[in-house]
Amino acid sequence: MPNGLEHGPLRKLPPEVRFEGRVLFLADDADLVRRQLSGEDLPWPSAIPLRDNISTDEITPAYICYYYDATLGDFPYLGLRAGGSFPITRGDVRAGGFVCSVAGTRRGKGSSREQSPYAEMCAGIRLVIAESIERIYRENCQNLGVFTSTDFGLIERIRRGEAIPLSEFTAGEGDITRGIIEHGGLFQFNLARLQGDVAVPPVRAPRRPLTLAEKIIARHWVTDLANDRVGVPHVQPGDEGFTRTDIRFSHEYVTPMAAIFWQELLGLDARIVDPGSVFLFRDHLTFLDLAMTDERKAEGLLDVALELKRKQEEFAADQGVKLYGELPRVGQGLHGIPVGSEAICHSKILESHALPGQLIIGSDSHTPHAGAIGALAFGVGTTAIFNSWLTKDVRLKVPPSVLIRLRGEKPDGVTAKDFMLQILRHPYVRDGHAIGKIVEYAGPAVEALSIDERATMTNMAAEVGAFTGIIRPDERAVEFLARERGLGPEEVRPLLAGLHSDPDAEYETTIEIDASVLEPMVALPGDPGNGLFIREIGARVKVDIAYAGSCTAGKKSDMDMYAAVFRDALDRGLRVADGVQCIVQCGSQEVKRYCEEQGYLEVFREVGAQFIEPSCGACINAGPGVSYDKDTVTISAINRNFPGRSGPGRLYLASPYTTAWSAVAGHIEAWEPGQVGVGA
Ligand code: SF4
């Protein structure tokens, strides 16, 4: 039993709950919102025009997420647009004494950031009512102990001071969700599990053929947390429970808030369970200083953001947990000039830690990166990370699986990125049918890829909207682990035993793609699903920025591709075109060393590309390579091009080959095949 919790008091909510406070209607009318903030309680029922589609970006805009503690309670709804203006300012909700907040349809859509319900909670909101509530936002609320409901009849009852039976919030929920609500959040539920006070219902899946992912889930299924028992013979989609993790990691956007939860609920002396399997990363905001506007700096936001770095460093040192941090700044202290990171989180996890058959959680949506060697890796929220530090496990509902098989032999010059842009424009994926599912990539064209290239595919399971992406580990995984980690085949091959899908395993659907007819692709600005073959884009698209980097495109094989194109350009007497800013940014120091050994840094320099140290950088609008106006055109090998992702400009996605060649051509153009000799 970790941290002496075996005798700690357990908290369970009473069978009835009272909500003492006012009701805030998030109306699509700024005047109505302001009148409530000034103390007026609007009549209900009435025809209040409730806001639909309130995203987590509106509840807590991205820059608000630089805060990580109860200060967030000053900010809920700061980005809420009501009738064309933003009526809510800092401190309004807290000062208004609101306990319940009401909205229309699809409340909490968009990013899965847990800062949103936490900000609401810290401002006093205990109940969220809406016509419909997005799944992840709702789960985040449940994990934090914030009630959710679609029953508008509650409004009158709250105003009358009625006690509401707890069962009204648990009706129709599965055993685990019901337990979490009844315990007031995931942490209290887990305490009860640790003390053996609640038991997760056993899995009752019949004997059945399993997919690779289902086998890994079954091996990691926690049957008795208090007595440390793990493993069931079978699982099936829909089974709900907890799975033991092998690796847990988080980055600076998430660690500080999880650390606050840890310290507030467990105390400064509490120790993370198995700290050797926990990793922290400073990667997302390393170069923020160079990208943040002077206006935001004047508001003090850079100092707030730098607190994320400081808090994470303090927590890592206190817990004795490995932190892949920031490189020493040039000049003194936090305000020295940033140089870069040791590594981007999931790049490093694949490079140095993940093994086939492991179950890995991370605080980033691209955690599935490690699926390239047959690990089951998926992203989770702040409360899940914090709880995993205590229990070493994570809540999971077994998703259905989808098989994407690429047959045939891909043409030279076509890469895993092109595979993904083709997959993302497939109607099944584009229409959202793969959301929340396990995507298994298979087929000869996938088997022919290097592990780095496979990682591009599993990484971009996030863009598919999948729960995770995974590829059967094979001899390429054995070679990769020998080359990158020095592991002998005799150590790795036993890990592969059983790590394949059974021949008659069940998939919700199978998508077949003929790789032999694919061509280099580009995704038009706005969405990674806007893919076209380059020859289909019509008029010539002039390029201002070429960004060759990120977790998806900062691996060794990506560097091989950039270097191959640039060497070819130099041989032809060409350099990066005039007026084009070309940046190459690798995913880890290991990749940088590889570039040095291969002589790539000289190639990049000679061709006119700027090489910068590892970090998420421009990929998250926080580093060199971002755009500053809407007319700027960027070609980028990153994984997503949602509006505003790397600044206000127009961002096209493409393969490393296309990104590098477009930098030289000055417009979007595929690299002519024939010179391909390395990499993919
Ligand atoms: S490089 Fe981009 S996609 Fe990858 S972890 Fe960083 S922000 Fe996310």
Side-chain angles (χ1 to χ4, degrees):
M1 177 73 63
N3 297 305
L5 292 168
E6 61 271 42
H7 304 304
L10 294 178
R11 193 188 84 190
K12 211 171 170 190
L13 298 180
E16 293 183 328
V17 280
R18 281 181 199 282
F19 297 93
E20 289 166 5
R22 299 173 58 213
V23 177
L24 173 64
F25 294 93
L26 299 176
D28 198 6
D29 178 326
D31 181 53
L32 284 182
V33 174
R34 287 198 189 98
R35 279 164 48 194
Q36 296 177 81
L37 299 176
S38 303
E40 180 179 339
D41 288 320
L42 301 180
W44 184 265
S46 66
I48 297 170
L50 293 173
R51 259 298 311 276
D52 294 326
N53 295 307
I54 295 176
S55 69
T56 50
D57 267 303
E58 288 184 85
I59 300 172
T60 46
Y63 65 93
I64 295 301
C65 299
Y66 299 154
Y67 295 92
Y68 56 84
D69 58 13
T71 313
L72 279 165
D74 284 355
F75 300 107
Y77 317 131
L78 231 62
L80 183 86
R81 185 179 279 275
S85 62
F86 302 91
I88 299 182
T89 59
R90 180 170 187 169
D92 283 348
V93 178
R94 211 199 288 262
F98 299 103
V99 71
C100 170
S101 144
V102 182
T105 57
R106 299 202 63 187
R107 183 189 177 115
K109 67 184 287 193
S111 144
S112 61
R113 67 184 63 151
E114 203 169 313
Q115 283 93 342
S116 293
Y118 186 59
E120 294 174 284
M121 188 178 93
C122 291
I125 302 293
R126 291 183 58 215
L127 169 62
V128 161
I129 298 176
E131 286 174 49
S132 62
I133 302 173
E134 296 286 296
R135 183 185 63 82
I136 294 177
Y137 171 80
R138 190 161 165 270
E139 277 178 18
N140 285 337
C141 285
Q142 291 163 352
N143 285 344
L144 287 167
V146 174
F147 293 96
T148 61
S149 178
T150 54
D151 178 6
F152 281 67
L154 290 173
I155 295 168
E156 284 284 83
R157 295 165 66 193
I158 290 168
R159 284 182 162 171
R160 285 198 298 266
E162 247 182 57
I164 315 286
L166 195 56
S167 57
E168 294 197 24
F169 299 104
T170 58
E173 301 290 359
D175 290 334
I176 292 178
T177 302
R178 190 171 62 246
I180 290 170
I181 294 171
E182 287 174 351
H183 283 81
L186 181 61
F187 172 68
Q188 287 296 333
F189 182 71
N190 272 333
L191 275 192
R193 287 175 64 220
L194 281 164
Q195 294 187 16
D197 196 62
V198 294
V200 174
V203 169
R204 304 212 183 277
R207 187 180 174 82
R208 62 191 286 275
L210 298 177
T211 65
L212 164 60
E214 288 166 349
K215 286 181 182 178
I216 297 173
I217 292 171
R219 287 180 186 183
H220 289 80
W221 199 266
V222 176
T223 55
D224 183 346
L225 177 64
N227 294 298
D228 201 24
R229 294 202 183 101
V230 176
V232 293
H234 301 94
V235 293
Q236 63 185 352
D239 284 344
E240 212 185 347
F242 288 81
T243 46
R244 170 69 49 84
T245 61
D246 296 299
I247 292 175
R248 299 153 282 170
F249 72 88
S250 55
H251 53 61
E252 78 267 43
Y253 254 126
V254 168
T255 310
M257 190 167 139
I260 289 287
F261 291 171
W262 181 268
Q263 287 162 0
E264 285 178 354
L265 293 166
L266 289 162
L268 287 171
D269 294 334
R271 301 289 93 195
I272 283 181
V273 173
D274 188 16
S277 63
V278 172
F279 302 95
L280 307 180
F281 291 88
R282 166 74 171 163
D283 52 6
H284 277 60
L285 300 175
T286 320
F287 283 116
L288 180 65
D289 320 29
L290 305 182
M292 186 181 274
T293 61
D294 291 341
E295 192 188 350
R296 286 263 186 259
K297 284 180 185 166
E299 291 169 12
L301 274 176
L302 182 58
D303 290 318
V304 173
L306 286 169
E307 267 300 296
L308 295 171
K309 163 183 154 64
R310 192 197 56 72
K311 179 69 186 173
Q312 181 170 248
E313 286 173 350
E314 184 186 285
F315 187 71
D318 187 44
Q319 289 288 339
V321 168
K322 170 70 181 168
L323 166 66
Y324 287 101
E326 189 176 283
L327 302 180
R329 291 176 168 237
V330 176
Q332 290 298 303
L334 279 179
H335 287 286
I337 298 167
V339 173
S341 306
E342 287 186 57
I344 298 174
C345 52
H346 30 270
S347 305
K348 190 68 193 171
I349 292 296
L350 175 57
E351 211 171 72
S352 301
H353 300 287
L355 289 171
Q358 284 188 331
L359 192 142
I360 297 170
I361 59 169
S363 66
D364 196 282
S365 61
H366 294 100
T367 299
H369 198 85
I373 54 166
L376 189 89
F378 53 95
V380 296
T382 311
T383 298
I385 284 287
F386 148 62
N387 274 269
S388 77
W389 290 342
L390 176 66
T391 61
K392 219 187 154 186
D393 66 12
V394 65
R395 177 185 176 192
L396 182 149
K397 186 172 182 180
V398 181
S401 289
V402 171
L403 180 64
I404 301 182
R405 197 193 323 262
L406 285 108
R407 63 175 187 276
E409 190 178 333
K410 73 174 182 64
D412 280 350
V414 168
T415 70
K417 175 59 71 61
D418 301 301
F419 287 180
M420 286 312 301
L421 296 184
Q422 178 71 10
I423 289 167
L424 286 162
R425 73 167 168 169
H426 188 286
Y428 182 88
V429 174
R430 243 205 109 127
D431 295 345
H433 298 299
I435 290 174
K437 296 176 183 162
I438 295 166
V439 170
E440 181 178 336
Y441 304 106
V446 174
E447 289 160 17
L449 294 176
S450 67
I451 294 297
D452 273 3
E453 280 283 87
R454 294 179 190 185
T456 296
M457 299 190 72
T458 53
N459 176 299
M460 290 186 71
E463 280 59 50
V464 170
F467 171 76
T468 192
I470 193 165
I471 296 171
R472 175 186 178 169
D474 56 11
E475 278 304 305
R476 293 222 177 215
V478 176
E479 290 159 16
F480 174 86
L481 291 168
R483 191 176 61 245
E484 300 296 326
R485 312 247 190 103
L487 296 176
E490 71 289 352
E491 294 172 87
V492 179
R493 285 203 184 104
L495 300 177
L496 307 192
L499 288 184
H500 56 82
S501 294
D502 292 330
D504 40 2
E506 290 169 25
Y507 296 95
E508 195 170 89
T509 197
T510 298
I511 295 173
E512 294 276 351
I513 292 175
D514 182 356
S516 68
V517 299
L518 295 183
E519 302 173 24
M521 295 193 68
V522 67
L524 307 184
D527 194 285
N530 294 340
L532 291 174
F533 291 145
I534 290 177
R535 66 175 164 79
E536 293 173 332
I537 57 178
R540 178 172 279 201
V541 179
K542 190 176 165 304
V543 166
D544 303 299
I545 298 172
Y547 178 75
S550 81
C551 57
T552 329
K555 302 173 257 87
K556 290 179 182 174
S557 73
D558 301 307
M559 298 296 139
D560 290 339
M561 289 189 257
Y562 304 133
V565 173
F566 290 146
R567 275 189 172 137
D568 178 49
L570 290 169
D571 288 346
R572 300 194 214 181
L574 299 171
R575 298 180 80 246
V576 169
D578 287 346
V580 175
Q581 180 192 21
C582 178
I583 289 172
V584 180
Q585 186 165 32
C586 54
S588 70
Q589 291 299 323
E590 184 59 34
V591 177
K592 182 187 171 190
R593 273 191 288 280
Y594 174 76
C595 290
E596 285 166 346
E597 287 160 13
Q598 300 295 318
Y600 292 167
L601 297 188
E602 288 84 66
V603 176
F604 299 151
R605 199 163 31 242
E606 276 180 47
V607 84
Q610 181 191 359
F611 180 85
I612 51 178
E613 298 279 349
S615 177
C616 295
C619 179
I620 193 160
N621 203 11
V626 298
S627 62
Y628 290 98
D629 66 71
K630 65 180 178 39
D631 296 324
T632 299
V633 173
T634 301
I635 181 108
S636 175
I638 64 175
N639 45 30
R640 48 178 57 160
N641 60 345
F642 300 129
R645 175 75 186 175
S646 294
R650 294 165 52 73
L651 179 67
Y652 291 76
L653 297 182
S655 75
Y657 286 140
T658 302
T659 300
W661 183 251
S662 300
V664 172
H667 57 267
I668 295 178
E669 189 171 281
W671 188 40
E672 280 298 311
Q675 293 86 6
V676 182
V678 288

